[in-house]
Amino acid sequence: AVLPKNGYPPWYSAFESFYPRRLKKRLDDCFARPICGVPGRFVRCFDRISPDYNETFLYSGELKPLLNLSSYNYLGFAQSIGSCTDAAVKSVEEYGTSSCGPRNQIGTCNLHKETEALVARFVGKDDAVMFSMGFGTNANLFTSLVNSKCLVISDSLNHSSIRFGIRLAGAAVKVFPHNDMEKLEQILRESISQGQSKTHRPWKKIVVCVEGLYSMEGNLADLPALVALREKYKFYLFVDEAHSIGALGKSGRGVCDYFGISPSKVDMLMGTFTKSFGAAGGYVAADQEIIDRLRLDISTNVYGESMPPAVVTQINTSLRIIMGEINGDEGKQRLQRIAFNSRYLRLGLKRLGFIIYGVDDSPVVPLLLYAPPKMPAFSRMMYERGVAVVVVGYPATELISSRVRLCVSASLTKEDIDRILTICDDIGDKLYLKFSSGISGGE
Ligand code: PMP
């Protein structure tokens, strides 16, 4: 494709023309700040508006460590404490950095097989298959699951990788308003009864796609209602657990664990290793028949490089820690820490009078800024006070619901969170972000 004169892809011009030039320049300050070092409890970010910053050499003098609320390091496995990253280092010595081939050629090693079995056991399914990228998992797997004779019913706030995947597969797509179970039921009823006899459904397959935890909203899929609808209307239920696996539920097994629902009630449990496991890549877990089919069929297994062995080791080690199979009760402690930290930050912010979206157990905490100019202001003020955050606005959110998404980590201490609350309190006053006098009570 020919890029427009400004050198950006076409979708970028919508973004660029929405924001006035001066604001756009300030927004550049918040996004794509290169980091240096491990994105753990602290992260070192380059200051893109410093006079010393150079896009090629990235030099901007001494980089101070910022308290990190910007990486999806929910259980704190990204940083080298404990045995996780050490195991990955050892794995590089043994297996090198790449398997130099796709899974269905010579790119599968014993680590892939062992870890897939471990993932399946963890999420409670027959089998699982892993891919080297989370986005690529969703983008590719639907082409093997559905075609133009199938209907996919998708939540309006589903991640772009799901939207991309289902459209690429050429399935008919219907979208229901976020978490609106009545509307979903209406779509199901209409779709099933479309001018056909009682015994013949108009679609070869119907798949309903949702996310376990919506990272922009911090809220959960209504899994109990979805499971009841699945029983009634007999469709395949697909749940993307990118943000919930490892981070939600008593034993970290995601939304099924959280709601006390058997994983057998969900047909496909997809997830990524980028968040709770401090690694990279994605998986899908399901009944044996589905996984056997995906293994053979998904193009990336035939034409794309397999997941690097050291990354697989990182996943394997962090999973075994979460499952309590190694390192004593370290896994349990991490799960307790993320649960405490999420609630402590969330309730602290609410008490200060901020508008926070989502459920109290969500490790991603969306704090509403509303007006777009407050995004660069909030980001910069946090940066100057030693905290790294991610702000989000149009087109990723509605026009006037810009927000900052604070990602909590088990690697943060209570004192870190107290410091963050004090800083937010100060910035909230300066930017007029407090919309109420705050809640009372809570923890
Ligand atoms: N699904 C969801 C719901 C996500 O939020 C993301 C990315 N944050 C992905 C899939 C893609 O995962 P990855 O970043 O691991 O490629």
Side-chain angles (χ1 to χ4, degrees):
V2 181
L3 290 179
K5 269 198 201 128
N6 63 11
Y8 292 112
W11 61 265
Y12 196 86
S13 358
F15 170 76
E16 200 184 24
S17 58
F18 171 70
Y19 293 108
R21 187 167 301 176
R22 277 181 58 201
L23 177 54
K24 161 74 182 46
K25 208 164 163 31
R26 284 166 54 211
L27 280 168
D28 281 347
D29 169 36
C30 333
F31 302 128
R33 263 185 206 142
I35 65 166
C36 175
V38 178
R41 176 176 163 216
F42 294 99
V43 64
R44 290 170 198 271
C45 292
F46 286 92
D47 183 356
R48 291 180 71 200
I49 60 170
S50 150
D52 294 332
Y53 180 78
N54 173 314
E55 200 56 66
T56 312
F57 301 109
L58 302 184
Y59 177 72
S60 77
E62 184 73 10
L63 293 178
K64 59 176 182 184
L66 309 170
L67 256 185
N68 189 7
L69 285 178
S70 58
S71 306
Y72 306 120
N73 178 25
Y74 297 143
L75 288 178
F77 281 120
Q79 69 196 90
S80 24
I81 45 168
S83 62
C84 220
T85 332
D86 297 346
V89 172
K90 280 205 196 94
S91 180
V92 171
E93 284 164 10
E94 202 177 331
Y95 291 88
T97 51
S98 163
S99 31
C100 299
R103 286 294 302 270
N104 289 4
Q105 290 168 27
I106 202 82
T108 297
C109 69
N110 55 332
L111 297 174
H112 291 102
K113 301 299 274 179
E114 269 170 38
T115 307
E116 285 178 339
L118 196 63
V119 170
R121 190 150 56 83
F122 182 59
V123 302
K125 285 285 180 196
D126 287 352
D127 201 358
V129 55
M130 305 190 304
F131 303 94
S132 46
M133 192 185 183
F135 191 102
T137 307
N138 281 337
N140 281 290
L141 73 87
F142 287 99
T143 50
S144 303
L145 290 175
V146 288
N147 58 29
S148 58
K149 296 192 177 76
C150 304
L151 170 68
V152 179
I153 311 179
S154 175
D155 187 286
S156 60
L157 292 190
N158 272 344
H159 191 256
S160 78
S161 56
I162 300 177
R163 303 206 305 264
F164 186 84
I166 56 187
R167 296 226 141 75
L168 189 71
V173 178
K174 292 187 185 176
V175 175
F176 63 98
H178 177 53
N179 260 352
D180 186 339
M181 293 297 111
E182 275 179 29
K183 189 75 192 157
L184 170 62
E185 180 158 20
Q186 189 190 329
I187 295 177
L188 281 163
R189 222 182 294 121
E190 286 166 8
S191 308
I192 288 171
S193 63
Q194 260 170 9
Q196 298 284 335
S197 73
K198 274 191 182 152
T199 51
H200 185 87
R201 296 192 2 160
W203 303 101
K204 206 169 140 202
K205 275 182 217 158
I206 296 180
V207 183
V208 173
C209 290
V210 297
E211 287 183 34
L213 167 63
Y214 291 84
S215 66
M216 289 287 181
E217 311 298 308
N219 66 354
L220 306 175
D222 188 348
L223 199 62
L226 285 158
V227 166
L229 288 174
R230 175 181 172 273
E231 295 288 310
K232 189 169 170 190
Y233 293 97
K234 311 284 180 238
F235 54 78
Y236 290 92
L237 181 56
F238 174 96
V239 181
D240 178 333
E241 292 238 63
H243 292 271
S244 43
I245 194 70
L248 276 186
K250 254 206 183 117
S251 50
R253 288 171 161 84
V255 277
C256 290
D257 187 11
Y258 185 85
F259 286 109
I261 287 176
S262 159
S264 63
K265 306 279 178 199
V266 179
D267 300 280
M268 281 153 284
L269 283 164
M270 177 271 170
T272 69
F273 299 114
T274 344
K275 281 87 181 165
S276 295
F277 307 94
Y283 67 85
V284 57
D287 290 351
Q288 196 63 57
E289 209 182 325
I290 299 181
I291 298 301
D292 285 346
R293 160 100 191 245
L294 292 177
R295 271 217 176 92
L296 278 179
D297 208 40
I298 288 194
S299 321
T300 46
N301 270 3
V302 186
Y303 303 110
E305 172 65 12
S306 73
M307 186 186 273
V311 175
V312 186
T313 304
Q314 170 82 7
I315 296 164
N316 190 302
T317 317
S318 50
L319 250 177
R320 283 190 295 139
I321 293 175
I322 298 170
M323 291 163 87
E325 291 184 359
I326 52 172
N327 291 15
D329 66 352
E330 183 189 325
K332 203 165 151 201
Q333 280 178 16
R334 286 180 190 257
L335 291 169
Q336 282 169 355
R337 192 81 237 161
I338 185 70
F340 172 82
N341 285 357
S342 305
R343 283 182 155 252
Y344 189 62
L345 178 65
R346 202 171 253 282
L347 294 172
L349 289 168
K350 279 192 192 168
R351 210 174 286 139
L352 289 172
F354 290 100
I355 303 286
I356 305 295
Y357 276 179
V359 294
D360 289 342
D361 293 312
S362 158
V364 42
V365 182
L367 181 157
L368 270 288
L369 305 173
Y370 294 101
K374 294 192 177 173
M375 287 194 281
F378 191 92
S379 171
R380 171 80 6 208
M381 287 164 100
M382 288 296 262
Y383 185 94
E384 279 162 4
R385 287 160 179 75
V387 185
V389 294
V390 172
V391 288
V392 225
Y394 177 83
T397 68
E398 284 172 11
L399 289 184
I400 304 296
S401 57
S402 310
R403 64 198 65 173
V404 51
R405 236 171 21 147
L406 306 171
C407 295
V408 182
S409 169
S411 63
L412 298 172
T413 63
K414 182 168 176 289
E415 290 67 39
D416 292 338
I417 298 190
D418 284 332
R419 194 179 136 206
I420 291 158
L421 286 169
T422 309
I423 292 172
C424 285
D425 191 18
D426 170 39
I427 299 178
D429 285 335
K430 293 201 164 70
L431 293 180
Y432 301 99
L433 291 175
K434 296 176 182 171
F435 291 85
S436 71
S437 54
I439 56 162
S440 54
E443 279 174 341

